[in-house]
Amino acid sequence: MRTGQQAAGTRAGQRPPVLDTVALRILAEQAGQCVADRFFSEYLDLLPARSANIVAGVAAEDLEKTLDAVVSLKVTSAMVGALQMEDCARTLERRLQIGHWPSSETASSVLSKELSRIVSEARNQQRVR
């Protein structure tokens, strides 16, 4: 089940939103606004390290390390509503599982673009300064 994308109302063939507010709103309702804000802030802080772990795993062709990092990114992205990053991680996970390894440069480039989109959208939504 693709809860993040379902919540955003996306259809097949369409890209999901960069940052859907539904996931964080639900987290805030369940755990409080401060917890949701802190979780999102920590997510943003850890994105470069998570991306670097994926790129390092790809470069080393270490399937276990790479899949661990990709799944971590996919899950946390879903939790904060970073649906395009979640989709990117899901696609990478599927490709790795069937033996299609991107170059480390390609992985780095794709992840960097997604990271930039998230930061830009977070600024637009006034979630970061």
Side-chain angles (χ1 to χ4, degrees), residues 15-80:
R15 284 202 80 185
V18 173
L19 193 57
D20 182 25
T21 59
V22 173
L24 284 175
R25 189 175 25 197
I26 291 169
L27 182 59
E29 289 170 2
Q30 293 176 347
Q33 191 63 50
C34 288
V35 170
D37 290 344
R38 186 173 53 243
F39 187 80
F40 184 71
S41 178
E42 289 173 3
Y43 170 80
L44 289 178
D45 290 344
L46 291 172
L47 269 177
R50 286 194 168 121
S51 295
N53 287 338
I54 292 169
V55 172
V58 167
E61 294 188 12
D62 183 334
L63 183 61
E64 185 176 343
K65 176 181 178 178
T66 307
L67 283 176
D68 284 348
V70 168
V71 169
S72 174
L73 177 63
K74 178 181 75 173
V75 169
T76 56
S77 294
M79 291 175 71
V80 299

Side-chain angles (χ1 to χ4, degrees), residues 99-111:
H100 291 168
W101 284 83
S103 69
S104 57
E105 294 83 11
T106 298
S108 178
S109 175
V110 168
L111 292 168

